[in-house]
Amino acid sequence: MAYDPDFGTWVEEHFAALGPLTIKRMFGGAAVYADGLVFALLDDGVVWLKVDDLNEPELRAAGALPFTYPGKDGRMMTMAYWSLPDTALDDPDEAVRWARGAMEAAVRKASRKPLRPRKG
């Protein structure tokens, strides 16, 4: 993964209607947070949106591609992230609509996780 801070600035401006976002570097790329949840990854100039069974079919139909990477054994691995459709790259309103779907997927995933006991 590779992250360009100028691309992060573009993402913040393009998704401004979502409200404040936090971008944190991770594994060479970056994670995009809204309300404490990761809803997108940034890598090599691509916005990868969080997906689940509800929003993945819509992204697939819009021509988005799945996030893949080569595993240690050479097989291609996938993550639950799909690219922002090309039509949304020049249309902030469309981009925000897709991002909201990714945020909803992140909330759904977080609600399925068991709560961790507090330490101390």
Side-chain angles (χ1 to χ4, degrees):
M1 293 179 85
Y3 171 66
D4 176 0
D6 290 336
F7 182 58
T9 300
W10 178 86
V11 168
E12 289 174 324
E13 292 169 358
H14 205 59
F15 293 106
L18 295 173
L21 302 176
T22 302
I23 298 176
K24 294 183 183 179
R25 290 178 183 259
M26 62 176 243
F27 306 115
V32 184
Y33 294 78
D35 298 324
L37 292 175
V38 175
F39 75 93
L41 302 176
L42 306 180
D43 177 41
D44 289 329
V46 177
V47 177
W48 300 96
L49 300 171
K50 181 78 175 157
V51 298
D52 63 10
D53 293 342
L54 295 179
N55 67 336
E56 180 197 320
E58 295 174 15
L59 281 160
R60 181 187 307 266
L65 300 172
F67 184 100
T68 60
Y69 63 95
K72 290 181 181 178
D73 61 2
R75 289 186 299 157
M76 290 306 287
M77 309 298 290
T78 60
M79 291 179 62
Y81 291 87
W82 282 61
S83 61
L84 179 68
D86 288 344
T87 55
L89 296 175
D90 294 322
D91 185 345
D93 293 331
E94 181 182 351
V96 165
R97 184 176 61 81
W98 288 114
R100 284 197 172 113
M103 292 167 70
E104 291 166 3
V107 168
R108 286 188 295 269
K109 180 174 181 174
S111 70
R112 290 191 300 264
K113 287 184 178 179
L115 294 176
R116 293 183 191 169
R118 286 189 157 181
K119 292 182 181 179

